[in-house]
Amino acid sequence: MTGSAAIIWLASFPKSGNTWFRIFLANLAAGENGPADINDLDERGGIASSRHEFEAATQLDSGFVGHDDIDELRRDVYHRIAAEVDHQRWIKTHDAYVMTPSGRPMFGVAGTRAVYLVRDPRDVAVSFAHHSSTTVDRAIELLNREDGALCASRTALAPQLRQKLLGWSGHAASWLDQSDLPAILLRYEDMRAAPEARFAAALAFAGRDATPDEIARAVRHADFSELRRQESEKGFAERMSRTAPFFRSGQVGGWRAALTAEQVARIEEAHAPMMRRLGYELSAPPHER
Amino acid sequence: MAYSYRISGLTVACDFPLAGAVATEPAVTPDVRVRLADVPQTLEGGAALGPNWDMFGEDFLLRAPRLARFLIRGGREIVIALEDGATARDASAYVLGTAFGILLHQRGALVLHGAAVARGGEAIAICGHSGAGKSTLAAALCRRGWALVTDDLCALSPGDDGRPVIRPDGRQLKLWQEAVEALDLGEQRGEAVLARFEKYFVAPAEVATEATPLRAIYVLRESRPPLTDGIEPLPLPDAMHMLDREAYRPGLRLKMGVRPELVAQSAGMLAHVRMFELTRPRDLARLPETVEALLAHWELAAA
């Protein structure tokens, strides 16, 4: 594919607005036929860690290829997808921007760009705990572990390929400090405050045409009240928790009521430099803690 | 010295013992030869069609990282060059999986990505993507007295009366450690399928040795919203479409060229088989519910 980018990596740590962004894209595609069905998002680009797509591309039984060897091949798979797609694909990923064992950037192939979504780690911790039916403390552990990963089981075949997260700061640094691909940073909080302007910026970066009216309609159709309505009526396929709905409040700053002072301190101590860099105000200056 | 096996109806002679396969009497002229020899890195003149595989004429070259290169030729031969540090034992898992799947495609077989189990002389196939839970459900049915027909490659061929039959793949079940524990099969657990991986051979109590007529195909789906638990029949046109999707590596089948007579053959076979979507939770703790639902469905259909 020539001209605009063949693949846009829609990259983020989990629970940072990735699904909301994909629903916006689905509504942009649906146009006046929207609101798009929240359970019909998969066909619109998929996720980079899809086991099925990896096997279809490599012919290998992914259960018999080590996690690191899979990373090595994933780069070659993406290279081929970028060279062969006939329309722009927005592919979701929660992987950090990692190097393969041989030292090549797994996502850094020609013809791709990245939209990096980031959210206040304190809100991510609360949201992740609800989503995964786990405790806030376990969620904080995932944010703080520099070797954290999803689907890294060795005793069962996880539904997706292993995804290295590298902790919240490590994840953000990996995508923001790489220089292989053009990348744009979008803060979840800014998207909530002014969705039209931020989505428009991301589309312009990707070289995807859309009029202000089309964008405004897609934002309206991807409003949280609409998403909650659809989820309560039909459920949502990407929901993991049996008790908590996927679309809760999408709230900014909800952590103030949900985290203990000790939990806040644990997150801020681990991530102060990256939080400052991304404009997330610390609740207390370090010398007062 | 050659080791002999019968896999998906084909007699196989192999240079080395195939781990997990059940040895048989040698055939005078084996259908398939498997041997260790040098294999090129790429196929001369071949279009590189995948990131780790090439296809040219009747040859297919597959590169499995840090393990081996497999040259699969004309549906008759698998030549293996081991990478440094890999053993023939390690290559067995690929011979019996991907390599044999490609070989069956080369022979024009209709191959489902599924496990098959039989009772009372009739088989059901359980299809689904990798990780969908095919082998686990098959193992649970084997615990309830069913016989294992195939583990994950299910080759169909027309039987005498036009009904499709499945030929046993002559191997053991392969289960991940979590499934071994959930099914309490620790005592039946054999060796690891491949060094470094927590997936093990498990010998089922009963194994089908003859071609078995296929009565129904169940396609596994996870019950995530808006899907709910249940077993629903597929209308014939949808079943035809679904059969393509549940084939072993359907994209590869297309790239190899699907011969019209085979499409006609699968349509003919499908007229004798009923196809269902089996929607259930992926949670191992709820596997017994799925087994009960499937057994009840089978009894009802048999009545």
Side-chain angles (χ1 to χ4, degrees):
Chain A
M1 190 172 143
T2 54
S4 59
I7 296 176
I8 307 294
W9 303 115
L10 191 55
S12 73
F13 200 85
K15 307 313 290 174
S16 302
N18 206 313
T19 298
W20 182 39
F21 198 107
R22 288 189 304 131
I23 290 171
F24 163 78
L25 289 175
N27 278 296
L28 196 65
E32 45 190 37
N33 299 321
D37 184 344
I38 57 172
N39 289 312
D40 188 22
L41 301 174
D42 274 358
E43 303 302 321
R44 298 175 199 281
I47 187 159
S49 46
S50 162
R51 189 175 290 287
H52 184 61
E53 186 161 0
F54 175 84
E55 293 194 343
T58 62
Q59 313 304 332
L60 296 173
D61 181 340
S62 60
F64 291 134
V65 188
H67 293 315
D68 290 343
D69 290 334
I70 286 180
D71 282 359
E72 193 69 57
L73 271 169
R74 281 172 71 180
R75 177 186 156 99
D76 299 329
V77 171
Y78 301 145
H79 175 76
R80 196 159 286 269
I81 294 174
E84 288 176 359
V85 291
D86 52 11
H87 62 284
Q88 187 174 69
R89 270 182 74 179
W90 290 65
I91 303 180
K92 167 184 175 169
T93 181
H94 289 319
D95 290 272
Y97 190 87
V98 292
M99 295 295 147
T100 68
S102 77
R104 303 180 301 162
M106 188 168 83
F107 290 106
V109 300
T112 67
R113 293 180 164 213
V115 170
Y116 189 71
L117 306 176
V118 72
R119 184 182 187 184
D120 188 320
R122 295 162 294 197
D123 279 334
V124 171
V126 177
S127 183
F128 192 88
H130 279 288
H131 177 62
S132 303
S133 302
T134 187
T135 62
V136 168
D137 288 328
R138 292 289 296 274
I140 293 174
E141 209 178 296
L142 192 69
L143 260 76
N144 290 5
R145 281 190 66 148
E146 286 170 16
D147 62 348
L150 299 176
C151 296
S153 172
R154 292 182 184 275
T155 57
L157 196 64
Q160 289 178 19
L161 303 176
R162 190 268 315 267
Q163 300 143 67
K164 284 186 181 174
L165 295 179
L166 313 183
W168 182 82
S169 292
H171 196 278
S174 75
W175 281 96
L176 300 177
D177 295 341
Q178 59 81 25
S179 53
D180 308 314
L181 310 178
I184 186 176
L185 168 69
L186 289 181
R187 296 192 336 152
Y188 177 79
E189 294 75 14
D190 298 337
M191 293 179 64
R192 296 291 295 159
E196 289 86 354
R198 302 296 169 173
F199 281 125
L203 294 176
F205 169 77
R208 164 90 156 77
D209 291 330
T211 67
D213 284 350
E214 287 168 339
I215 292 173
R217 180 172 53 206
V219 166
R220 223 165 40 241
H221 286 164
D223 188 81
F224 269 69
S225 61
E226 167 63 21
L227 307 185
R228 274 198 301 268
R229 184 189 68 76
Q230 287 196 35
E231 184 176 7
S232 68
E233 262 176 32
K234 298 173 292 189
F236 181 44
E238 294 177 33
R239 168 171 158 183
M240 284 166 69
S241 165
R242 281 202 205 154
T243 48
F246 186 96
F247 299 107
R248 295 184 311 119
S249 58
Q251 209 185 346
V252 170
W255 61 271
R256 291 175 197 283
L259 297 182
T260 67
E262 186 274 328
Q263 288 170 331
V264 172
R266 234 184 312 145
I267 296 171
E268 295 187 357
E269 262 160 39
H271 303 292
M274 185 56 78
M275 288 177 71
R276 277 197 213 97
R277 174 176 170 185
L278 295 173
Y280 295 121
E281 208 173 306
L282 301 180
S283 55
H287 65 266
E288 288 177 21
R289 284 207 298 260
Chain B
M1 152 112 197
Y3 297 83
S4 299
Y5 306 94
R6 178 172 284 276
I7 298 170
S8 303
L10 301 173
T11 51
V12 178
C14 185
D15 273 1
F16 55 89
L18 285 173
V22 182
T24 56
E25 289 298 308
V28 180
T29 324
D31 299 313
V32 180
R33 290 266 312 157
V34 181
R35 60 191 177 92
L36 294 166
D38 196 27
V39 166
Q41 291 288 340
T42 55
L43 283 183
E44 194 83 19
L49 291 171
N52 60 318
W53 53 275
D54 306 331
M55 199 166 77
F56 185 63
E58 290 204 309
D59 286 354
F60 191 103
L61 178 66
L62 177 77
R63 294 177 289 273
R66 292 199 292 141
L67 190 91
R69 299 187 299 285
F70 298 85
L71 179 60
I72 306 143
R73 322 194 71 164
R76 298 178 309 273
E77 191 180 34
I78 300 173
V79 189
I80 305 161
L82 298 171
E83 304 291 358
D84 288 347
T87 65
R89 165 73 172 71
D90 294 334
S92 293
Y94 276 81
V95 172
L96 292 172
T98 303
F100 218 83
I102 292 166
L103 181 132
L104 286 167
H105 275 312
Q106 287 178 334
R107 297 180 76 95
L110 177 64
V111 190
L112 296 175
H113 194 187
V117 289
R119 192 162 76 173
E122 289 189 304
I124 61 170
I126 301 162
C127 292
H129 293 168
S130 285
K134 303 177 292 290
S135 296
T136 305
L137 182 53
L141 290 168
C142 287
R143 288 213 69 171
R144 299 289 294 264
W146 291 60
L148 182 69
V149 188
T150 70
D151 177 32
D152 69 344
L153 288 181
C154 185
L156 306 186
S157 47
D160 296 337
D161 57 357
R163 287 174 72 181
V165 295
I166 307 176
R167 298 186 195 280
D169 63 2
R171 69 187 81 163
Q172 299 177 329
L173 278 165
K174 300 191 297 284
L175 293 178
W176 289 92
Q177 178 60 20
E178 276 186 17
V180 170
E181 286 166 16
L183 287 162
D184 197 15
L185 286 168
E187 287 185 12
Q188 280 76 37
R189 198 190 90 171
E191 292 178 8
V193 177
L194 188 57
R196 297 186 290 126
F197 293 87
E198 296 267 340
K199 194 175 191 182
Y200 297 92
F201 291 118
V202 175
E206 202 182 327
V207 177
T209 51
E210 300 297 324
T212 311
L214 174 66
R215 191 166 89 188
I217 299 171
Y218 294 88
V219 178
L220 291 184
R221 295 192 309 174
E222 186 179 357
S223 50
R224 283 165 168 263
L227 305 178
T228 50
D229 293 354
I231 300 175
E232 294 294 329
L234 279 168
L236 193 60
D238 296 341
M240 276 301 290
H241 174 63
M242 187 62 94
L243 199 61
D244 281 335
R245 284 184 41 191
E246 299 304 327
Y248 187 75
R249 309 282 186 257
L252 195 58
R253 187 159 166 255
L254 285 175
K255 280 186 176 153
M256 286 185 172
V258 183
R259 284 178 262 157
E261 68 269 24
L262 293 174
V263 177
Q265 194 185 70
S266 40
M269 285 195 286
L270 204 58
H272 298 273
V273 180
R274 297 180 65 198
M275 202 157 169
F276 303 94
E277 283 183 320
L278 167 54
T279 310
R280 90 291 179 233
R282 201 171 169 277
D283 187 357
L284 278 176
R286 297 179 64 194
L287 180 61
E289 291 169 43
T290 306
V291 171
E292 290 308 326
L294 187 55
L295 291 176
H297 186 262
W298 169 265
E299 295 299 338
L300 204 65

